[in-house]
């Protein structure tokens, strides 16, 4: 009889555990390790049933049947290739193991994936929990020594189930209500996080298009230093600007020309201040910061980074990907030399890693147990990537993660800030330069722009304005969202909340934004697939159809403050501060209010406009195509209408 049955979320994790336990035989969908057995899920093997599985009448969309609110929720096997694996896991559970170990990924969804299987089969025996932060032998062996009672984490899985049910209720009810009462004929998908995110993109596009072109002027002065001042050195020329950064702008060309004329040929002593400073390194990567970095530097989509980071984790060369923590546990101090050694085996990083290895700076601010909960920052493991077969994307992303890890072990960058101020006939001209004195972590992650050399000038040196020129500049309009900047605003969504109390509560709480970095990429992909937005020139732009949705639906459906309260409630459920019944009762009341809001707008504007679907041209670039077969297909797919991010599906 099996002593312990380990159920991992993914096959790669399961096989890595089996290797540490000692494989004695292989089965289809499981591995035997002496008296232990290891098996695995394939993402979500179970899902919430469709409305028509409660009552056949729900197959036809009718506002008279709303709200759809199951008194008892039904869970069904997820159709597809995972069905065979579910049967395999169920058979192993029914064989009567002494103990089951939940090895779902170390987050809410991972907890729920395995707990759902146990509930489905009716398992009531001893259940434990094991967290795996990296698929490397030493980490797994340590995890095997730190198995805990599953009851300590079950609330996290309950919160994940509450989220899924809330998304189901919003999607099924509001998509039907909006489609039947507000749409001009197209199916309209509404989602708890999806619709507020669409509103953010629409509002940004309207700001960009509504921008009124305005101009202002600055005066650029070519200044020459006088070499006759002792210690001033050779004569030098440099440029100062008026007004300074904190001064009011010059609004008219006439005023600008007048100032330039008065400043030209002015002469006087220059005030120079030099200050030594240090630039701390950027934080280690979370999934969100890694996604934003790759979107900015490599134009990768959030999904591309997520998928690639997941593959690196499963290959055992980087740590767990779905993390929002930029810190490391203190035990990782002991891994530094081995990790650098693993990184150094890549030829392109060998020299850098070697230079860092001679004197790594291990900071208390990074290795902090008090700031690490279920998972930690994304870093390389002690397994060398040089011996692993990597795709082109995996090699690129690994190098980015490895560089950031090496940078975190370097000293701060040290530099001198030189500030210069010259009064020219009463007008203040300023200049500012930085000069690096010790590169520190910049030698691993060099800046995109080269430094401008500071002029050789001394405090009190006499200087002359050789020429002063008015320069016309345009007020910059807001920029359309990229996937990276959208995600940043989703994380910082509190700034869009008008209510001061709720905004502060959202900023101070753990769930500070719309979705998490592990689900935000799925929201963006859904918006593109359903024709609400299109990727154009690297930016997310709302389609006429997407804009029409936001103009027609009641504001309650895209209220970020409401979504924030939802996320905070889910945090309470996970921590035991709210029961799942309380959460679902609140959600049901909210659905009733949403339905009333939609009914009140039934005579308002209709949802019309072209759907544009993000497609790929032969060269692999995203382009827009008007509604056709793809648009109609996306419309039909919206009937599922839930913000799901099923792993492994």
């Amino acid at each position: 009889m099996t002593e312990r049955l380990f159920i991992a979320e993914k096959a790669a994790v399961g096989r890595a555990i089996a290797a540490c336990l000692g494989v004695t035989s292989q089965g289809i969908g499981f591995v035997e390790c002496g008296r232990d057995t290891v098996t695995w899920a394939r993402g979500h093997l179970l899902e919430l049933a469709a409305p028509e599985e409660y009552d056949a009448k729900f197959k036809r969309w009718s506002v008279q049947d709303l709200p759809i609110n199951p008194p008892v929720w039904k869970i069904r096997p997820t159709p597809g290739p995972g069905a065979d694996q579910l049967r395999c896991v169920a058979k192993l559970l029914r064989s009567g193991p002494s103990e089951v170990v939940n090895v779902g990924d170390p987050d809410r969804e991972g907890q729920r994936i395995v707990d759902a299987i146990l509930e489905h089969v009716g398992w009531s025996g001893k259940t434990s929990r094991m967290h795996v932060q990296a698929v490397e032998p030493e980490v797994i062996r340590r995890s095997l020594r730190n198995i805990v009672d599953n009851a300590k984490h079950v609330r996290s899985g309950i919160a994940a189930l509450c989220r899924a049910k809330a998304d189901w209720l919003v999607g099924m009810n509001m998509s039907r209500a909006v489609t039947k009462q507000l749409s001009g004929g197209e199916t309209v998908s509404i989602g708890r996080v999806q619709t507020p995110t669409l509103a953010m993109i629409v509002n940004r596009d309207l700001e960009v298009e509504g921008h009124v072109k305005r101009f202002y002027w600055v005066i650029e002065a070519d200044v020459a230093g006088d070499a006759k001042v002792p210690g001033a050195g050779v004569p030098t020329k440099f440029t100062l600007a008026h007004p300074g950064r904190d001064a009011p702008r010059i609004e008219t060309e006439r005023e600008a020309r007048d100032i330039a004329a008065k400043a030209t040929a002015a002469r006087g002593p220059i005030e120079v201040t030099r200050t030594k400073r240090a630039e701390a390194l950027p934080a280690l990567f979370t999934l969100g910061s890694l996604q934003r970095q790759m979107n900015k530097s490599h134009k990768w989509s959030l999904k591309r980074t997520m998928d690639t980071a997941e593959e690196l984790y499963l290959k055992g060369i980087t740590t767990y990907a779905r993390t929002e923590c930029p810190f490391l546990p203190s035990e990782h101090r002991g891994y530094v030399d081995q990790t650098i050694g693993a990184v150094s085996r890549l030829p392109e990083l060998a020299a850098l890693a070697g230079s860092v290895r001679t004197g790594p700076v291990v900071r208390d601010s990074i290795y902090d147990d008090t700031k690490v909960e279920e998972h930690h920052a994304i870093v390389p493991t002690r397994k060398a990537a040089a011996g692993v077969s990597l795709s082109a994307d995996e090699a690129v992303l690994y190098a980015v993660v490895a560089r950031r890890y090496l940078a975190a072990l370097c000293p701060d960058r040290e530099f001198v800030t030189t500030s210069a101020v010259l009064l020219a006939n009463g007008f203040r001209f300023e200049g500012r330069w930085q000069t690096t004195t010790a590169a520190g972590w910049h030698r691993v992650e060099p800046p995109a722009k080269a430094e401008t050399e500071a002029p050789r000038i001394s405090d009190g040196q006499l200087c002359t304005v050789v020429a002063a020129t008015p320069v016309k500049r345009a007020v910059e309009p807001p920029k359309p969202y990229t996937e990276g900047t959208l995600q940043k605003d989703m994380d910082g969504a509190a700034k869009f909340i008008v209510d001061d109390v709720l905004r502060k509560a959202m900023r101070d709480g753990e769930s500070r934004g719309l979705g998490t970095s592990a689900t935000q990429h799925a929201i963006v992909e859904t918006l593109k697939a359903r024709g609400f937005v299109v990727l154009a020139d690297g930016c997310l732009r709302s389609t006429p159809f997407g804009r029409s949705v936001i103009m027609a639906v009641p504001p309650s459906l895209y209220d970020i403050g409401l979504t924030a309260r939802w996320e905070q409630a889910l945090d309470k459920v996970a921590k035991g501060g709210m029961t799942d019944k309380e959460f679902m009762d609140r959600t049901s009341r909210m659905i009733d209010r949403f339905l009333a809001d939609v009914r009140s707008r039934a005579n308002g504007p209709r949802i019309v406009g072209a759907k544009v679907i993000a497609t790929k041209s032969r060269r692999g670039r995203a382009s827009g195509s008007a509604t056709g077969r793809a648009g109609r297909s996306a419309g039909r797919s919206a009937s599922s209408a839930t913000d799901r991010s099923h792993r492994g599906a």
Side-chain angles (χ1 to χ4, degrees):
M1 185 180 76
T2 296
E3 188 73 25
R4 295 180 297 180
L5 175 62
F6 292 82
I7 306 177
E9 182 175 330
K10 301 177 179 73
V13 177
R15 292 192 178 99
I17 294 169
C20 290
L21 292 171
V23 176
T24 54
S25 65
Q26 299 269 1
I28 299 175
F30 67 95
V31 180
E32 291 184 342
C33 308
R35 300 190 66 182
D36 293 330
T37 300
V38 181
T39 187
W40 45 83
R42 294 182 60 174
H44 286 268
L45 297 181
L46 296 155
E47 65 180 12
L48 297 173
E52 56 267 27
E53 294 178 58
Y54 294 95
D55 192 321
K57 69 178 182 180
F58 293 140
K59 194 165 186 178
R60 176 179 174 273
W61 288 23
S62 171
V63 293
Q64 282 71 39
D65 294 331
L66 304 179
I68 304 172
N69 194 352
V72 179
W73 289 83
K74 295 181 180 181
I75 309 292
R76 69 179 183 187
T78 304
D84 288 341
Q85 188 62 23
L86 178 60
R87 283 190 287 271
C88 170
V89 178
K91 184 177 180 180
L92 291 169
L93 282 166
R94 291 179 180 126
S95 69
S98 301
E99 176 186 354
V100 168
V101 183
N102 179 338
V103 199
D105 283 354
D107 57 20
R108 290 182 189 173
E109 291 298 318
Q111 180 72 35
R112 178 60 197 164
I113 283 171
V114 177
D115 284 350
I117 296 172
L118 303 183
E119 293 170 10
H120 177 71
V121 176
W123 171 259
S124 58
K126 181 181 179 181
T127 310
S128 301
R129 184 68 163 108
M130 173 176 159
H131 284 168
V132 176
Q133 296 287 356
V135 187
E136 57 176 323
E138 189 169 335
V139 173
I140 291 174
R141 283 192 285 268
R142 186 178 67 251
S143 298
L144 287 166
R145 294 192 297 269
N146 290 284
I147 295 174
V148 299
D149 190 338
N150 191 59
K152 293 183 177 181
H153 298 278
V154 73
R155 295 296 311 175
S156 177
I158 290 172
L161 179 59
C162 285
R163 180 206 59 77
K165 289 178 177 178
D167 288 348
W168 191 99
L169 288 173
V170 172
M172 297 303 178
N173 284 286
M174 303 321 303
S175 297
R176 293 168 187 237
V178 170
T179 297
K180 301 304 291 186
Q181 294 177 282
L182 304 183
S183 176
E186 288 280 3
T187 299
V188 182
S189 166
I190 299 295
R192 183 178 62 87
V193 178
Q194 169 190 304
T195 307
T197 304
L198 173 60
M200 289 173 61
I201 298 171
V202 169
N203 289 335
R204 173 58 62 87
D205 284 349
L206 294 176
E207 288 176 11
V208 172
E209 293 164 13
H211 175 75
V212 178
K213 186 172 285 189
R214 293 187 297 112
F215 299 94
Y216 64 98
W217 279 260
V218 297
I219 316 301
E220 291 186 351
D222 294 331
V223 180
D226 191 339
K228 295 179 181 179
V229 176
V234 299
T236 184
K237 289 187 177 181
F238 53 97
T239 302
L240 300 179
H242 172 82
R245 290 182 295 176
D246 300 326
R249 285 175 170 171
I250 301 171
E251 301 289 347
T252 67
E253 184 178 7
R254 181 175 180 178
E255 181 185 2
R257 291 190 177 281
D258 182 53
I259 294 172
K262 292 177 179 177
T264 299
R267 179 176 172 80
I270 193 166
E271 179 184 325
V272 178
T273 304
R274 290 183 173 87
T275 307
K276 292 182 178 180
R277 299 181 184 274
E279 181 185 8
L281 68 155
L284 291 172
F285 283 123
T286 63
L287 175 58
S289 63
L290 181 59
Q291 287 171 318
R292 290 191 289 274
Q293 174 66 34
M294 295 306 293
N295 182 253
K296 181 178 180 180
S297 62
H298 291 72
K299 308 303 179 187
W300 283 18
S301 68
L302 303 183
K303 183 179 186 302
R304 185 175 177 181
T305 301
M306 171 71 244
D307 291 347
T308 308
E310 189 84 351
E311 287 301 314
L312 292 177
Y313 163 65
L314 293 177
K315 289 183 176 182
I317 58 174
T318 61
T319 56
Y320 183 65
R322 297 171 183 259
T323 175
E324 298 187 26
C325 174
F327 303 98
L328 292 172
S330 58
E331 65 184 356
H332 273 243
R333 292 172 180 268
Y335 305 164
V336 168
D337 187 68
Q338 288 177 285
T339 305
I340 297 175
V343 170
S344 70
R345 290 184 58 187
L346 279 182
E348 62 268 34
L349 295 175
L352 279 176
S355 65
V356 173
R357 200 174 190 178
T358 59
V361 180
V362 182
R363 294 175 171 82
D364 292 341
S365 59
I366 291 176
Y367 297 84
D368 189 343
D369 288 335
T370 65
K371 294 179 180 178
V372 177
E373 293 185 1
E374 291 182 334
H375 9 78
H376 54 66
I378 301 173
V379 295
T381 67
R382 289 159 289 179
K383 179 179 179 180
V388 178
S389 176
L390 299 179
S391 69
D393 277 4
E394 289 164 1
V396 168
L397 192 64
Y398 179 82
V400 170
V401 172
R403 279 181 176 274
R404 179 58 56 90
Y405 179 77
L406 294 176
L409 295 168
C410 291
D412 290 351
R413 172 207 171 213
E414 296 177 9
F415 62 98
V416 173
T417 298
T418 301
S419 300
V421 176
L422 177 66
L423 293 179
N425 284 333
F427 297 104
R428 181 184 176 95
F429 285 79
E430 299 179 1
R432 189 180 180 92
W433 303 267
Q434 284 188 10
T435 304
T436 297
T437 54
W441 62 269
H442 269 209
R443 62 194 166 104
V444 178
E445 289 191 352
K449 293 182 179 180
E451 292 178 349
T452 302
E453 185 179 357
R456 290 174 291 174
I457 49 177
S458 301
D459 186 44
Q461 181 178 353
L462 290 176
C463 293
T464 302
V465 176
V466 178
T469 307
V471 178
K472 185 179 182 180
R473 294 181 181 172
V475 176
E476 289 289 330
K479 294 182 179 179
Y481 277 124
T482 64
E483 291 194 23
T485 57
L486 173 66
Q487 188 201 48
K488 184 176 181 180
D489 273 2
M490 290 175 75
D491 282 345
K495 67 182 181 182
F496 298 106
I497 299 175
V498 176
D499 183 271
D500 291 339
V501 175
L502 182 57
R503 183 172 61 252
K504 184 178 186 302
M506 188 176 186
R507 281 178 173 161
D508 294 344
E510 291 193 14
S511 294
R512 302 178 183 180
L514 291 173
T516 66
S517 53
T519 60
Q520 287 159 344
H521 72 279
I523 298 300
V524 172
E525 293 301 317
T526 297
L527 291 174
K528 290 190 287 188
R530 291 178 178 169
F532 295 126
V533 303
V534 64
L535 191 64
D537 296 324
C539 296
L540 293 169
R541 306 306 296 264
S542 55
T543 67
F545 178 68
R547 295 186 186 197
S548 181
V549 170
I550 298 305
M551 299 305 167
V553 302
S556 57
L557 292 187
Y558 54 82
D559 182 357
I560 292 175
L562 196 59
T563 304
R565 285 194 289 269
W566 230 320
E567 294 297 335
Q568 289 171 342
L570 286 169
D571 273 342
K572 289 182 179 179
V573 173
K575 295 177 179 178
M578 180 184 292
T579 67
D580 48 331
K581 184 180 184 304
E582 288 174 317
F583 178 86
M584 295 311 303
D585 286 346
R586 288 176 57 172
T587 301
S588 296
R589 292 193 294 271
M590 203 169 291
I591 294 297
D592 290 338
R593 290 197 295 271
F594 286 169
L595 291 171
D597 289 345
V598 171
R599 284 194 296 271
S600 71
R601 298 172 75 93
N603 296 322
R606 312 306 288 174
I607 297 173
V608 295
K611 274 189 176 182
V612 179
I613 300 295
T615 60
K616 286 194 174 181
S617 68
R618 292 180 181 176
R619 294 185 180 180
R621 293 184 178 180
S623 60
S625 63
T627 303
R629 182 178 300 170
R632 291 192 295 273
S633 174
R636 287 193 298 271
S637 71
S639 62
S640 62
T642 56
D643 291 338
R644 297 189 309 171
S645 178
H646 287 324
R647 301 182 193 165

